[in-house]
Amino acid sequence: MAISTEVPKTVEWNGKQVPVYPMEIIDFSKLLSQEPVEIERLVRCCQDEGYFYLDLRGIDGRRMLEDQQDTLKLMYRFFDAPLEAKNEFGLVAPHLGYEPIGSRTGVLENTKDGYEMIKVSRDEIQKDSPHLPAVIKNSPDMKVLEHAIAGANIATKTILAALSTGLGLTGAARFENSHRNDRPSTSTLAMMHYIPSDPTAKNIGHQKHTDISSLTFLFAEQWGLQVRPPGSKEFGFVEPKEGMAVINVGDSLRFASGHTMQSCIHRVVPLDPTEHRYSIAYFLRAENDTMFTDSEGRLITAGQWHDEKFFAFTSPPEIQALAPSSMILGGMTEEDEAAEADVQTKDAPSPVVGATNLNEGVQVY
């Protein structure tokens, strides 16, 4: 499957016309049935682009769409609560707890991020008394969170199983075998609220990054997500589609596949500066003791990769500079960086048309 060069339309952002990139649609029901043609399409999506829509409109996926709506209702109430209630425990661990607005770097230079986030880990929700702020630590809300995590966990493991089948993996070598529920991992559900902001705001968006995860299962009904496909010279928007989730390949699956899959480079910007934006992301991550080779050729565990990358990109710039260069984007190479390396030019294209004041650092969940 060749990477599509078609740009069906553009939208205006920050005074420029920015492309809306097309994405393949994979049918969840066909993956459950292990249909060979759909599995082949899935493998090609992950190897060529690193992202796709997952169609959940069939009977097998409709419950996940209902869970999404229930989770959004919970989020509206939670994020409307006083800061002291939301931040009751703060960030307990990198994959568990609350982060207030401005905790990290923003999309544009000299800005902070424009979102607040509450993360509930898969391991934590399985406990008799999970570590949650009191405002959502009640039976109905915990059931909503449990359903959302369970549904996303099933969907992402179904994708892993289909990829294993498509690549001819057997036994312990199958991807899903390193994502068992009873083994510790940093898999987590992240619920994000982006505040209204425009390109002149001090708090704006979510900076360029690749995900630590094996797979990311994302629901976002509003515009704002941008991707930079392999070989492209700029970021472009992803159109929200009703009844579908967006799936990103993360660093861990890229490593586990022997670096044959693409880890999706993406970010979030405010297309409509007047709106509150909400998104739900489940990050399926390998068991902490899973071994793979990273882009520096190091044999490391999934837990070690998570901790190193999280620390590097929540640290001051002078500490970030000490991290291996490949850690920034999980070993992915952007077109402008590749061109500079090949021809030693200083005139590499800007990641976004006309946007020359972007901070090229990276965020990580």
Side-chain angles (χ1 to χ4, degrees), residues 1 24-25 50 53-54 68 70 74 93 139 164 185 214 219 242 248 257 288 318 348 358:
M1 179 189 301
E24 294 288 335
I25 298 175
Y53 292 112
L54 186 67
Q68 172 204 10
D70 290 340
L74 179 153
S139 182
S164 296
S185 84
S214 296
F219 281 124
E242 186 176 354
N248 295 340
S257 70
N288 290 340
E318 61 271 19
L358 295 183

Side-chain angles (χ1 to χ4, degrees), residues 8 39 59 123 134 144 188 202 207 253 266 293 299 350:
I39 289 177
I59 191 170
D123 291 356
V144 168
T188 193
K202 294 182 179 180
Q207 199 173 26
L253 185 55
H266 58 288
T293 301
L299 187 64
S350 172

